[in-house]
């Protein structure tokens, strides 16, 4: 991480990526923090123009930036020679091993002051498991086999991310009666004794170093049910790649849908922030995409910079992240809303409302 100003590489990509990423950049610029923006090309239109979905200069700029803000890329529905998804490649090239998806629901409307809102994060290992790509067929195609790869190294580093995050979230809650930090280790070690067994054992080992964080564990099927019925019981969930892929989408249902779902991809050296949604060709160009998911990425990005910033400016960066998140909650509750949330506002009205709230609250 360089000294401030921090360099943020902006890759809008295709479709509504080019509408929501400028909104997120406008929010970041409105903070007045020492941020420098560079823009780079990637995606399907880039491929059609240049023959490269992820030009080498984009990858090089991503390697030297302090953080990457990525919009979305369109992928053709039919295979095209030479085209590979740039986001999958970026995750691998930058070794972005931790996929982080926060989910929070609307502020509670109930009069019951004890009503607790959903406020959880799924921390998903992003590099191995069944997604390691070790698949083959035998018996002339009658049997298909996928190998599940779980390593101590990957399990340890993802567990560490989860416990650090739980600790930081507890600190940010900043009240004495806030619930304690909690990490739920999710696995299926009763059946997958070696692979899930290793993940579970390593995560429990890491937990020893965080006595201030409550640790529990849960089988993945139980977790799916609990996420659907009692999501408020979770704080941070840590799990392997495939389970995390599925559970993070279950959790997403509480978060107001795709227009609000943000994610971070973190590694030791690099960090990339992207809305979960795609290029949305059905609404692209109409100016009605919900920018809140991308703006949520801006808040996650600032949290990341704050963790690496010199101590004299880290608190200010953190405070802006919190202000942006409060503004998102406010706009989500009070409007204006884009059509996906039932309103008729355009992207810029929602963005302006977020900026106005974060500058005055
Ligand atoms: P999508 O997320 O683009 O759209 C699904 C539905 O949600 C559409 O009706 C869309 O209008 C709506 N939607 C998504 N984001 C929205 C927002 N911010 N505001 C309002 N409405 C929103 O997924 P879909 O349609 O399956 O894929 C479209 C293209 O995007 C494909 O080419 C696909 O490959 C690509 N894609 C890219 C991703 C990425 O870059 N990480 C992720 C998912 C899809
Ligand atoms: Mg998924």
């Amino acid at each position: 991480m360089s000294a401030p100003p921090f360099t943020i590489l902006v890759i809008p990509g295709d479709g509504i990526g080019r509408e929501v990423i400028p909104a997120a950049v406008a929010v970041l610029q409105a903070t007045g923090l020492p941020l420098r923006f560079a823009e780079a090309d990637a995606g399907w239109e880039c491929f059609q123009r240049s023959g490269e979905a992820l030009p080498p200069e984009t990858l090089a700029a991503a390697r030297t930036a302090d953080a990457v803000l990525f919009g979305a890329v369109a992928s053709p529905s039919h295979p095209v020679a030479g085209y590979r998804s740039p986001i999958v490649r970026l995750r691998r090239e930058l070794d972005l091993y931790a996929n982080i998806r926060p989910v929070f629901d609307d502020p509670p409307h109930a009069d019951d002051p004890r009503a607790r809102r959903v406020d959880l994060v799924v921390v998903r290992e992003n590099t191995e498991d069944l997604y390691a790509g070790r698949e083959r067929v035998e018996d002339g195609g009658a049997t298909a086999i996928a190998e599940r790869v779980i390593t101590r190294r990957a399990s340890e580093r993802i567990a560490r991310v989860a416990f650090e995050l739980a600790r930081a979230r507890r600190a940010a809650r900043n009240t004495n009666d806030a619930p304690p930090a909690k990490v739920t280790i999710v696995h299926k070690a009763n059946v997958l004794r070696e692979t899930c067994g290793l993940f579970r054992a390593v995560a429990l080992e890491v937990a020893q170093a965080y006595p201030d964080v409550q640790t529990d564990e849960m089988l993945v099927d139980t977790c799916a049910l609990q996420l659907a019925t009692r999501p408020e019981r979770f704080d941070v969930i840590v799990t392997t790649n495939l389970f995390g892929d599925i559970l993070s989408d279950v959790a997403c249902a509480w978060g107001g849908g795709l227009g609000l779902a943000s994610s971070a991809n973190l590694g030791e050296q690099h960090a990339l922030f992207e809305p979960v949604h795609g290029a949305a060709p059905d609404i692209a160009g109409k100016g009605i995409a919900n920018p809140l998911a991308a703006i949520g990425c801006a808040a996650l990005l600032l949290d990341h910079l704050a963790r690496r910033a010199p101590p004299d400016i880290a608190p200010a960066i953190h405070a802006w992240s919190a202000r942006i998140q409060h503004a998102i909650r406010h706009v989500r509750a009070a409007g204006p809303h884009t059509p996906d949330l039932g309103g008729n506002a355009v992207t810029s009205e929602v963005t302006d409302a977020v900026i106005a709230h974060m500058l005055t609250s």
Side-chain angles (χ1 to χ4, degrees):
M1 173 84 36
S2 61
F6 299 114
T7 300
I8 297 169
L9 182 70
V10 177
I11 307 177
D14 296 312
I16 65 166
R18 290 207 287 269
E19 299 166 40
V20 298
I21 292 302
V25 170
V27 167
L28 287 169
Q29 281 172 330
T31 66
L33 288 166
L35 307 171
R36 190 171 51 214
F37 296 89
E39 191 165 321
D41 215 0
W44 175 236
E45 286 192 13
C46 175
F47 175 79
Q48 288 175 303
R49 227 179 9 252
S50 70
E52 307 249 26
L54 183 66
E57 53 276 20
T58 299
L59 184 56
R63 285 191 198 285
T64 56
D66 293 302
V68 179
L69 187 57
F70 185 93
V73 290
S75 295
S77 46
H78 51 97
V80 172
Y83 186 84
R84 293 202 344 248
S85 165
I87 184 64
V88 174
R89 212 178 136 213
L90 272 169
R91 287 186 192 135
R92 194 173 41 238
E93 295 274 355
L94 303 179
D95 193 22
L96 301 170
Y97 62 83
N99 190 290
I100 316 264
R101 276 220 221 160
V103 175
F104 55 87
D105 68 355
D106 278 320
H109 299 296
D111 295 330
D112 182 354
R114 291 165 306 174
R116 274 184 57 198
R117 56 173 61 151
V118 181
D119 185 357
L120 63 86
V121 183
V122 179
V123 175
R124 161 189 169 195
E125 203 289 322
N126 222 8
T127 65
E128 55 179 28
D129 191 356
L130 281 165
Y131 293 1
R134 287 155 77 157
E135 285 201 299
R136 62 180 189 277
V137 289
E138 293 181 356
D139 303 337
T143 302
I145 297 171
E147 281 182 337
R148 183 167 200 244
V149 181
I150 301 289
T151 64
R152 165 169 287 275
R153 173 171 175 267
S155 302
E156 190 175 322
R157 63 186 187 173
I158 197 69
R160 214 166 280 290
V161 167
F163 280 92
E164 288 292 333
L165 181 64
R167 191 178 264 176
R169 277 163 55 84
R170 176 66 183 80
R173 288 198 277 266
N174 202 17
T175 55
N176 290 330
D177 58 350
K182 185 164 80 177
V183 171
T184 305
I185 302 163
V186 175
H187 58 77
K188 189 79 182 179
N190 57 335
V191 177
L192 300 168
R193 290 181 188 277
E194 297 301 338
T195 51
C196 274
L198 179 60
F199 178 79
R200 170 181 180 273
V202 171
L204 287 171
E205 264 169 53
V206 170
Q208 301 289 315
Y210 297 85
D212 52 315
V213 179
Q214 286 184 4
T215 303
D216 69 354
E217 56 176 307
M218 199 177 275
L219 296 175
V220 62
D221 40 354
T222 308
C223 182
L225 177 61
Q226 296 273 306
L227 269 176
T229 56
R230 292 182 56 212
E232 70 285 349
R233 78 173 297 290
F234 293 104
D235 180 11
V236 174
I237 292 171
V238 63
T239 191
T240 44
N241 201 344
L242 172 61
F243 296 164
D245 189 4
I246 298 166
L247 293 178
S248 58
D249 273 28
V250 177
C252 223
W254 294 104
L258 274 179
L260 278 135
S262 311
S263 76
N265 295 271
L266 308 180
E268 290 315 325
Q269 308 295 331
H270 305 288
L272 179 150
F273 302 84
E274 51 165 338
V276 172
H277 64 72
D282 53 336
I283 59 165
K286 296 183 178 161
I288 56 167
N290 188 344
L292 293 177
I295 293 170
C297 292
L300 295 175
L301 186 153
L302 291 183
D303 276 337
H304 171 77
L305 294 183
R307 284 194 292 277
R308 284 161 168 71
D312 55 325
I313 71 158
I317 301 177
H318 248 311
W320 275 112
S321 172
R323 249 181 248 153
I324 294 170
Q325 291 179 55
H326 284 138
I328 292 171
R329 283 179 198 258
H330 171 79
V331 170
R332 185 169 157 193
H337 292 147
T338 43
D340 57 304
L341 295 180
N344 53 20
V346 297
T347 307
S348 59
E349 288 170 300
V350 175
T351 309
D352 291 347
V354 168
I355 292 173
H357 189 272
M358 85 183 193
L359 291 178
T360 54
S361 63

